[in-house]
Amino acid sequence: MKTLVVGTGIIGTTWGWALSNAGINVTHLVRPGSKDRYKDGVMLDLLEGRKGHKKKNVVKYNLICVETISASDPY
């Protein structure tokens, strides 16, 4: 399954990371001229509230970004 997340704000990035970790192919739609900004990925500082899990996690999320989509894109 291919999923398109609109934007790279805190919610879109967190959802993109979570879906990606679940094995879903995630692509982020970003504003024109912004794609290169994410070429090295982003660092996420995550706080885990569930028992038995590591409380604090710092992970790198390598985003796949596009600046345009067309009607033929399979999202």
Side-chain angles (χ1 to χ4, degrees), residues 16-61:
W17 169 80
L19 291 168
S20 180
N21 275 352
I24 296 172
N25 184 348
V26 177
T27 302
H28 291 264
L29 178 63
V30 296
R31 292 180 180 153
S34 298
K35 183 178 175 183
D36 289 340
R37 182 176 176 184
Y38 302 102
K39 66 182 177 189
D40 296 324
V42 294
M43 296 300 292
L44 300 175
D45 191 354
L46 306 167
L47 182 61
E48 177 62 72
R50 298 178 292 174
K51 291 182 181 178
H53 292 269
K54 188 176 173 185
K55 189 84 170 159
K56 187 170 176 144
N57 296 298
V58 176
V59 296
K60 184 175 183 181
Y61 174 40

Side-chain angles (χ1 to χ4, degrees), residues 3-9 12-13 16 26-35 38 61 63-70 73 75:
T3 301
L4 181 70
V5 174
V6 178
T8 53
T13 302
V26 177
T27 302
H28 291 264
L29 178 63
V30 296
R31 292 180 180 153
S34 298
K35 183 178 175 183
Y38 302 102
Y61 174 40
L63 295 84
I64 298 170
C65 297
V66 296
E67 295 178 347
T68 61
I69 59 171
S70 70
D73 288 331
Y75 297 107

